[in-house]
Amino acid sequence: MNKKPYDLHKNVKLEKDKHLNSKEATIRIIIYYVFLGFAWILTSDYIVDFLFDDPEVYARVQSVKGILYVLITAVVFYAIIFHRIDQYVSSLVNLNQAYEDLDLSHENSLKLENQLYRLAYYDELTGLPNKILLHQQIDKLIKKVKDKSQFAFIYFDIDEFRHVNEILGHHTGDELIKMVSERLSKSLNQEVLIARMSGDEFVLVLEIQNLDEAKKRIYKIFDLLRGEYALNLNDYFITFSVGVAIYPEHGKDYISLLRHADVALSHAKSNRKDQIIIFDNEMIISIENQASLSNQLRGAIAHHEFSIHYQPVIKIETMEVSSVEALLRWTNRDGKNIPPLDFIPFSEKNGFIHDITEWVFNQTSKDFSGWNSKDDFSVSINLSPVVLSENIFIQRISEWVKRFKFQPKNVILEITETAVIDDLEKSINVLNQLKDLGFTIALDDFGTGYSSLTYLQKLPIDIVKIDRSFISSIFDHQADIFILKGMVDLAHHLEMEVVAEGIETKAQHDLMKKLSIDYGQGYYYSKPAKQSEIIEKFDQIKQEKEV
């Protein structure tokens, strides 16, 4: 049960005011003594004189009267003094209790103050300084060094930490955070500042002599940090992405150092992760460009900035157009042509690729009637690995078929090896579902992957497209021709058709024909162009043949 605090002001000071005034108490006792003395003398003498006439008896009575006076005054003064001393002692006890309560209250206040301090400046999970205390310590360090020495601001996080939380649970994620914290604390001396920012993000601060020394120390730290961690009775290999900013070169205050280290960390994570990247000013330019690109991409569809160019795929034996490949083009609102290699990878990272893919399907379906071709004419559409790996992709493309009213049999979906290699079983399942819907599947950029031949027989594909890089150097090495011949024979053996990309000369065309390649695509036949230009060009060629 909580003890009610003693009110010192109410109980001690009030009693002192009422009872412990020494001068007033002394005067009161003297008055009592004088009053009793005079009262006793006058009263007792009058009674004795009235009762006793014998001088001898009178003398004895006077002696007894004196003794009685002493005894009575002793009792009276005992009662008075006891009462006063009892009040005094009681006040001292109360005062002592009040001081003890004050000491206890002060001790509790200090404990509460320490608890509030830790909550405000330290991470509850790891016990490390948090970002508020880190800010203060960096400010102190900057005042200490005053541009005369350097320190490294190291901002890092755990790669794929989200998967740990999702697969093993948030409790296991917290355990991993504590393990990383403990490994850091054990492997680093007290001169190294360690802080946890939030989530799986940490900061290390090292005082350094130069950049070369910083690199050696940072790589040594993360060689110790990366490795196996025991989670849920299993060992998991954990890696880290690291961004580094150097004081004062990359910033002279906490905010600048944090921002630039964060920029370097973003580059590390986009660069295959498990990387240590030191900030440079080019990264700022890159981020500004990405921010501008992101802002422009948001309105590209609404402002009708995208268009489709088509490149014909020619049947080599007859030189007839069998299909066209739809190639996305973007002219932004400033009239600048943005290359696909600049905005497609960016759109994949930022989620714009989903809306872009939907727009491409919509536009190619609108354009299809304009080809006025045979029933077996097809349009090829490139699928991003990001889109293909979505769990709801089959549902989405089924909806597009209904909404845009196109025939899957007239659409070739082009995928790359990188789109299927990460999860082969899932990819095979998705591709089979696409084939069940009526789509034709083409494997693009064949010949560039080291395992292309391994996966060729496993994937449910209909067409193999030989990469342009292989075709462009076909005459440089005689052995490449035999390799190409083997690839073509293998594809045909697996009942697949073959398209050679990047054909730019008649010699290349003649060789493809000699090697029994089914189709050709490249500048030798036509550059990518608007639909109207492609139709006009091949109508003219057709008329020339008829003449």
Side-chain angles (χ1 to χ4, degrees), residues 75-94:
V75 171
V76 171
F77 277 104
Y78 170 80
I80 294 172
I81 292 171
F82 175 80
H83 178 66
R84 298 303 177 189
I85 291 178
D86 183 61
Q87 288 180 336
Y88 175 73
V89 171
S90 177
S91 297
L92 289 178
V93 170
N94 289 335

Side-chain angles (χ1 to χ4, degrees), residues 214-229:
K215 289 179 180 178
K216 291 178 182 178
R217 292 179 65 185
I218 293 169
Y219 276 98
K220 183 177 179 180
I221 290 170
F222 285 95
D223 282 343
L224 293 172
L225 199 58
R226 69 195 296 273
E228 290 187 345
Y229 290 77

Side-chain angles (χ1 to χ4, degrees), residues 454-465:
T454 303
Y455 289 101
L456 188 60
Q457 61 181 343
K458 296 182 179 181
L459 295 172
I461 56 179
D462 307 292
I463 300 171
V464 173
K465 300 189 75 172

Side-chain angles (χ1 to χ4, degrees), residues 26 79 86 91 226 236 250 288-289 358 443 450 484 496 532:
T26 302
D86 183 61
S91 297
R226 69 195 296 273
Y236 293 85
H250 301 146
E288 289 174 349
N289 290 339
E358 182 176 349
L443 182 63
Y450 68 92
L484 180 57
M496 301 173 185
S532 58

Side-chain angles (χ1 to χ4, degrees), residues 427-453:
S427 299
I428 291 173
N429 180 50
V430 171
L431 294 179
N432 279 325
Q433 290 183 68
L434 291 172
K435 288 175 67 68
D436 290 342
L437 290 173
F439 291 101
T440 299
I441 308 298
L443 182 63
D444 199 11
D445 300 335
F446 184 75
T448 57
Y450 68 92
S451 58
S452 292
L453 294 175

Side-chain angles (χ1 to χ4, degrees), residues 228-270:
E228 290 187 345
Y229 290 77
L231 304 172
N232 288 2
L233 303 179
N234 291 306
D235 290 334
Y236 293 85
F237 195 87
I238 303 298
T239 62
F240 301 83
S241 294
V242 186
V244 182
I246 305 297
Y247 172 89
E249 181 182 355
H250 301 146
K252 294 187 177 183
D253 57 67
Y254 170 79
I255 298 299
S256 298
L257 290 168
L258 176 62
R259 182 164 63 93
H260 292 158
D262 190 24
V263 168
L265 174 59
S266 296
H267 276 257
K269 296 192 77 66
S270 64

